Amino acid sequence: MDKVIEIQNLSKVYKNGRGITDINLDIYKGDIFGFLGPNGAGKTTAMKIMAGLIKPDNGDVKILGHSILNDFEAAIAKVGCIIETAESYPYLTAFENLKQFSRYYKNVDSKRIEEVLELTGLLRYKNEKPRKFSLGMKQRLGIAAAILSRPEVVILDEPLNGLDVEGMIDMRNIIKDLAEKENTTFFISSHLIHDVELTCTRIGVLYNGKMLNVDTTKNILNNYASLENYFISEVERNGRI
């Protein structure tokens, strides 16, 4: 198994005591990894460190063998990500937005832009401006931008937030398709237990900044009636604070 992401002894604690403490985690090629935990558990903190947006107090993250601390450009070269909100230029069309993003990459032409618009269900809106888009459509455009350069790793913070049921199903299918067909590895955070259960192949529970457990979805569902039952029992076993 190829390790794609290695998180080693990662800690970052803020003045208010929130953050993450001593997280260790390996993620393998083709995984759709779900980082599951309530709001405020530290998911976004961990993802911001992975994306190079904030520095950890200690520990490191290696992506495709490169340390984000010592070799950031190499680490992030094959990574697409959306942290917090998907940003776009409101007055450019969906197509022009992606054209703008494509300037960062060598290998993205108009054909690839059309391809990701098709994949994310936005092709028929390609000449519309995102300021008119619903939250769900903005999320889709964000995903389109994140996968534009055929990244090997995609990091998504709460990608299903604000989507309607149809949007969630589409997003889930996009993620599964890319993992299957392009062997893309996904690292997804969410507090939506049901969606993690239906989307992710492996799951890590983060609670009060600590990693409680990591297992395959298959194992969990063999042993528990649902992911929710597993989550509750993990939290109780590790002592609610």
Side-chain angles (χ1 to χ4, degrees):
M1 293 288 270
D2 295 348
K3 272 188 206 176
V4 174
I5 302 173
E6 296 170 72
I7 298 179
Q8 300 157 331
N9 308 109
L10 200 61
S11 298
K12 170 81 183 175
V13 180
Y14 297 101
K15 285 195 177 69
N16 63 6
R18 281 198 169 178
I20 52 172
T21 316
D22 204 25
I23 289 182
N24 288 285
L25 187 57
D26 289 335
I27 291 161
Y28 300 93
K29 191 156 187 60
D31 263 352
I32 304 176
F33 183 86
F35 214 18
L36 177 65
N39 290 331
K43 301 186 303 290
T44 300
T45 300
M47 293 183 122
K48 281 183 166 172
I49 294 170
M50 292 166 78
L53 298 172
I54 53 177
K55 288 262 185 281
D57 296 338
N58 52 308
D60 194 4
V61 178
K62 284 187 178 151
I63 303 178
L64 299 163
H66 302 282
S67 156
I68 55 155
L69 297 176
N70 309 327
D71 198 358
F72 181 69
E73 286 199 357
I76 214 77
K78 292 178 177 166
V79 177
C81 66
I82 303 179
I83 310 272
E84 289 186 327
T85 47
E87 295 297 333
S88 57
Y89 300 100
Y91 294 99
L92 296 178
T93 65
F95 185 88
E96 289 163 348
N97 259 285
L98 294 178
K99 191 87 189 140
Q100 194 67 16
F101 290 124
S102 75
R103 291 167 37 194
Y104 301 115
Y105 309 112
K106 291 188 190 75
N107 56 349
V108 177
D109 54 10
S110 295
K111 185 168 158 285
R112 176 63 181 165
I113 294 175
E114 302 260 325
E115 211 173 273
V116 297
L117 284 166
E118 173 78 62
L119 253 175
T120 48
L122 287 176
L123 196 55
R124 63 173 188 268
Y125 307 106
K126 74 174 196 176
N127 297 319
E128 292 186 26
K129 297 180 173 148
R131 70 191 163 108
K132 299 193 180 124
F133 283 1
S134 66
L135 186 57
M137 290 192 36
K138 285 180 179 153
Q139 276 298 60
R140 288 170 194 233
L141 186 58
I143 297 263
I147 63 175
L148 200 52
S149 66
R150 293 191 177 80
E152 289 182 35
V153 184
V154 178
I155 298 172
L156 302 173
D157 185 20
E158 300 279 359
L160 303 167
N161 247 1
L163 296 181
D164 56 16
V165 172
E166 204 183 337
M168 281 186 178
I169 292 169
D170 285 350
M171 198 55 76
R172 203 177 291 143
N173 290 336
I174 291 166
I175 290 167
K176 286 179 166 169
D177 257 15
L178 285 165
E180 211 166 284
K181 291 180 185 147
E182 309 205 1
N183 222 347
T184 313
T185 304
F186 284 88
F187 189 104
I188 298 172
S189 79
S190 182
H191 62 278
L192 305 168
I193 291 186
H194 184 60
D195 289 292
V196 169
E197 180 173 326
L198 293 174
T199 311
C200 301
T201 54
R202 279 175 78 231
I203 294 164
V205 175
L206 190 70
Y207 193 78
N208 281 339
K210 293 186 173 65
M211 212 61 214
L212 300 191
N213 206 351
V214 180
D215 206 343
T216 64
T217 312
K218 209 166 155 189
N219 273 350
I220 293 169
L221 296 179
N222 279 339
N223 294 309
Y224 293 85
S226 68
L227 184 55
E228 195 163 337
N229 292 36
Y230 167 77
F231 181 79
I232 291 164
S233 90
E234 275 304 305
V235 167
E236 281 173 357
R237 199 164 63 88
N238 289 278
R240 293 194 93 111
I241 298 167

